[in-house]
Amino acid sequence: MNFIKVDSYDKLSAIAANIIASQVTLKPDSVLGLATGSSPLGTYAKLAEKYRAGELDFSRVTSVNLDEYVGLDGSNDQSYRYFMDNNLFCNINIDRNNTYVPNGCADDLKAEGQAYDEFIKKLGGIDLQLLGIGLDGHIGFNEPEAFFTKETHEVQLDESTIEANARFFASKADVPTKAITMGMMSIMQAKKILLIANGAKKKDIINKAFFGPITPFVPASILQLHPDVTVIYSEN
Ligand code: F6R
């Protein structure tokens, strides 16, 4: 594991954007696994800057997102599809037809999950997976539980996750309680993994996840078993 500690969110975002930019430059048809939430916003802004400066071309990139709330479609401004369209895809030249987010409105979420995993496999897997980390150690929306789940699947969000995400909604009651998330198989099979986290409140979970025992009760701890993980953490 490559653990990089920096002293500002700006530096974290600059390093993360450089790692993603190298990936896209070296392999223009990369499959990028992408995340939502507040952590990647700076990274996405810096990628857009690089694109505008003519340094990056996303035209052959395919993206697969980690997760989506159950019951929110892409027109809902709290959906992760909407987030990606507005915080990254509209600012770069990726072909929107090559961007994928699990469908949280599918009638059969189990079939949706299977199809998503099959699709990722058909793409040849993920070249670089970007991750954030929840205060409870979740990656994607793989919440702490007694086992690691392999497949893309429906999850019940933990109370702490609902509380943490309430800041994006009008009220806590508006936060969906369920999501569909990529499971550990597609994440762990990614060729490279880049996890970003910032803020003093994430210090404890970063220590547990990367310097503590590997346990499904701290889902991100499974990343210790991956051969190519970079973690960038800024306490500020
Ligand atoms: C989002 C996702 C989540 C977030 C995590 C951290 O697609 O998969 O695991 O990365 O909840 O969220 P922030 O960055 O808002 O602290």
Side-chain angles (χ1 to χ4, degrees), residues 110-142:
K110 194 162 184 218
E112 168 67 15
Q114 276 166 0
Y116 205 67
D117 288 336
E118 275 304 309
F119 177 67
I120 292 172
K121 212 163 133 192
K122 232 175 73 195
L123 288 171
I126 296 165
D127 289 303
L128 172 63
Q129 176 65 56
L130 177 65
L131 296 171
I133 183 170
L135 290 173
D136 60 2
H138 69 233
I139 48 176
F141 271 138
N142 293 280

Side-chain angles (χ1 to χ4, degrees), residues 35-40 66-67 80 132-134 138-140 167-168 202:
T36 59
S38 51
S39 308
L66 282 166
D67 42 19
Y80 285 171
I133 183 170
H138 69 233
I139 48 176
R167 68 191 193 278
F168 300 115
K202 295 253 171 104

Side-chain angles (χ1 to χ4, degrees), residues 44-56 90-92:
Y44 292 160
K46 292 204 186 283
L47 286 173
E49 270 169 34
K50 286 179 190 294
Y51 164 67
R52 279 194 297 272
E55 293 167 19
L56 269 182
C90 70
N91 297 325
I92 59 174

